[in-house]
């Protein structure tokens, strides 16, 4: 169904889409290559929200270079949009340009519009195919797909640990367990996320900024703090700069003063309590999805990590493993109870294993009952 050159052009479109990794949020990262008579005539990728989508960029590129679009093939990593959002529909623009073929890597994951863009193109007499390098395209927009299909972000839990799985000394000291290359890589994962989440324990112990510094990005992810009782100091570094979103269990007279002090630091407070007086974590994910969060990057201590995992709020673990041992009394990674039998263990699947300087980087996905 697809030729060798189709693969080559779609691979190029995926590489272009990758250029929007840090910038397209909350929109998906999309790449487009226009080919006519075997020659690439235009290329584009999604610009920051509200600006051109990949197809429009590629058409502008082709026209600027003096190329005729009629009869061209468009390779796009996501089904062209069919609706008026902040920009007009790309499907219409492709029809007006009289392209002959459109090859899409995957359908739009939004169930409300999925397939519609392709149908509009087909109705206009364009030869439309879908599914070329679909899994690569899906990976690139794993958070967008999650938000559209599950109404929750893709949750990636980052942990830096010793080889015996410890994340800090009993004293709380944890900086730094891993080397510089691993830490810089961690910032690249922060940069691609829509939001970075941490817990009150980490804020009290480490006072982190939770910003992206080690890589160049024009966009800082939103910062999110889980703080049931509003215990955070208004002077904490997490409140410096852009507003931080704080989820607490309740907002009432008991914490009104603390709430005011945090608001004065620009924090936005959201009360989402559960029956245990803690933050309702699944509901929090729903709220973040409502706010356009695609990928949520978690950098918390073992307690919040444990709560998130227990409540089914984690999709993958990004673990940096340092070649050192910290001992059994040091802090663990994830506070979960041992299962009664091995049958009940939390199962993971290694997605990738890489070496970064002296450390290892492991990306492991949580295997759910549906996957098994
Ligand atoms: N190596 C690493 O990758 C790494 C990364 C981050 C932090 N750390 C280390 O971790 C240590 C801090 O660990 P930690 O476990 O205390 O920090 P944490 O996980 O960031 O925060 C712990 C707090 O989260 C709250 N929490 C847990 N579940 C909750 C829920 N469902 N709703 C609301 N709040 C919930 C609890 O607060 P309440 O008791 O108020 O309910 C708990 O005290 C520090 O030493 C830090 O250096 C290491």
């Amino acid at each position: 169904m697809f030729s060798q050159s189709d693969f080559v052009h779609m691979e190029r479109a995926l590489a272009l889409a990758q250029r929007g990794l840090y910038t397209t949020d909350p929109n998906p990262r999309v790449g487009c290559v226009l080919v006519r008579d075997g020659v690439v005539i235009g290329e584009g990728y999604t610009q920051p929200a509200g600006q051109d989508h990949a197809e429009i960029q590629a058409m502008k590129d082709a026209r600027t270079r003096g190329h005729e679009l009629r009869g061209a093939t468009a390779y796009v990593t996501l089904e062209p949009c069919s609706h008026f959002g902040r920009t007009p529909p790309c499907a219409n623009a492709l029809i007006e340009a009289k392209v002959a073929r459109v090859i899409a890597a995957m359908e739009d994951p939004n169930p409300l519009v999925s397939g519609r863009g392709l149908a509009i193109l087909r109705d206009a007499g364009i030869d439309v195919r879908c599914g070329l390098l679909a899994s690569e395209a899906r990976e690139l927009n794993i958070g967008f797909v999650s938000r559209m299909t599950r109404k929750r972000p893709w949750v990636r839990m980052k942990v830096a640990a010793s080889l015996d799985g410890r994340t800090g000394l009993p004293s709380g000291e944890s900086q730094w367990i891993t080397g510089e290359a691993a830490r810089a890589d961690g910032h690249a994962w922060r940069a691609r996320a829509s939001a970075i989440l941490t817990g009150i324990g980490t804020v009290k112990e480490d006072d982190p900024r939770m910003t992206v510094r080690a890589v160049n990005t024009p966009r800082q992810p939103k910062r999110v703090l889980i703080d049931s009782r509003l215990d955070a100091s208004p002077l904490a570094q997490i409140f410096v700069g852009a507003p931080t979103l704080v989820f607490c269990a309740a907002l009432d007279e008991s914490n009104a003063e603390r709430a005011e002090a945090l608001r004065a630091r620009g924090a936005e407070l959201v009360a989402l309590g559960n029956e245990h007086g803690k933050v309702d974590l699944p509901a929090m994910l729903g709220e973040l999805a409502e706010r356009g969060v695609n990928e949520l990057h978690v950098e918390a201590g073992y307690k919040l990590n444990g709560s998130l995992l227990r409540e089914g709020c984690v999709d993958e673990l990004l673990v940096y493993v340092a070649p050192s041992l910290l001992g059994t009394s040091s802090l663990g990674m994830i506070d979960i109870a041992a299962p009664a039998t091995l049958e009940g263990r939390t199962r993971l699947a290694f997605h990738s294993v890489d070496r970064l300087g002296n450390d290892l980087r492991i990306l492991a996905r949580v295997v759910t009952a549906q996957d098994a």
Side-chain angles (χ1 to χ4, degrees), residues 71-352:
T73 298
Y75 294 87
V76 275
T77 60
L78 186 69
E79 171 181 0
C81 66
S82 57
H83 55 280
F84 281 88
R86 279 187 270 195
T87 56
C90 294
N92 295 21
L94 289 166
I95 293 167
E96 279 160 27
K98 300 199 165 32
V99 303
R101 284 205 310 161
V102 172
I103 300 187
M106 61 178 284
E107 284 193 1
D108 190 320
N110 183 348
L112 297 175
V113 294
S114 182
R116 239 194 250 168
L118 299 180
I120 291 173
L121 294 167
R122 278 197 189 101
D123 289 349
I126 294 173
D127 177 6
V128 176
R129 293 170 205 186
C130 186
L132 176 60
L133 296 175
S135 66
E136 287 81 352
R138 194 168 287 276
E139 281 294 325
L140 194 58
N141 287 310
I142 200 161
F144 181 76
V145 171
S146 171
R147 178 161 69 88
M148 290 298 139
T149 58
R150 307 187 302 172
K151 298 196 186 320
R152 61 177 250 186
W154 178 261
V155 183
R156 181 177 295 126
M157 179 183 281
K158 179 245 161 181
V159 182
S162 56
L163 190 55
D164 54 349
R166 304 288 139 179
T167 57
L169 295 179
S171 65
E173 185 185 345
S174 68
Q175 291 170 339
W176 302 108
I177 292 172
T178 49
E180 220 167 277
R183 298 208 303 277
D185 188 71
H187 276 241
W189 287 90
R190 277 185 183 182
R192 62 175 284 167
S194 312
I196 302 173
L197 178 139
T198 194
I200 182 62
T202 299
V203 164
K204 281 185 178 166
E205 187 64 44
D206 298 345
D207 195 15
R209 280 174 276 180
M210 290 297 173
T211 52
V212 180
R213 298 180 300 280
V215 295
N216 204 2
T217 174
R219 180 190 65 88
Q220 284 292 336
K222 179 127 200 107
R223 290 171 298 175
V224 183
L225 171 63
I226 303 284
D227 182 4
S228 299
R229 293 178 300 272
L230 297 184
D231 283 337
S233 160
L235 299 178
Q237 299 228 52
I238 198 163
F239 299 115
V240 175
T244 293
L245 184 58
V246 181
F247 284 97
C248 59
L251 284 168
D252 52 33
E253 276 165 25
S254 70
N255 58 18
E257 221 169 278
R258 292 199 299 281
E260 225 18 73
L262 296 182
R263 285 199 188 99
R265 299 286 289 150
E268 183 188 353
L269 312 183
V270 177
L272 259 188
N274 63 15
E275 66 277 24
H276 309 297
K278 305 244 181 198
V279 175
D280 182 334
L281 298 173
M284 175 206 63
L285 291 188
E287 174 67 27
L288 291 177
E290 287 276 320
R291 291 166 180 252
V293 173
N294 293 331
E295 292 179 23
L296 179 65
H297 179 99
V298 177
E299 281 197 39
Y302 67 105
K303 289 182 199 152
L304 183 55
N305 283 352
S307 298
L308 286 163
L309 197 89
R310 269 181 267 123
E311 295 186 39
C313 295
V314 181
D315 295 305
E316 71 184 4
L317 275 68
L318 171 65
V319 185
Y320 296 93
V321 183
S324 60
L325 302 169
L326 290 181
T328 42
S329 59
S330 286
L331 307 179
M333 275 191 208
I334 304 171
D335 181 22
I336 48 172
T341 64
L342 272 182
E343 195 46 44
R345 70 195 136 167
T346 301
R347 287 173 198 270
L348 307 171
F350 286 142
H351 185 71
S352 63

Side-chain angles (χ1 to χ4, degrees), residues 3-41:
S3 70
Q4 195 55 41
S5 65
D6 287 339
F7 275 90
V8 169
H9 295 312
M10 190 59 88
E11 268 161 17
R12 174 68 185 153
L14 284 164
L16 289 165
Q18 186 85 21
R19 292 193 193 166
L21 198 61
Y22 300 161
T23 51
T24 66
D25 208 74
N27 288 341
R29 301 121 184 172
V30 183
C32 177
V33 172
L34 289 165
V35 178
R36 197 158 170 273
D37 300 327
V39 177
V40 174
I41 58 169

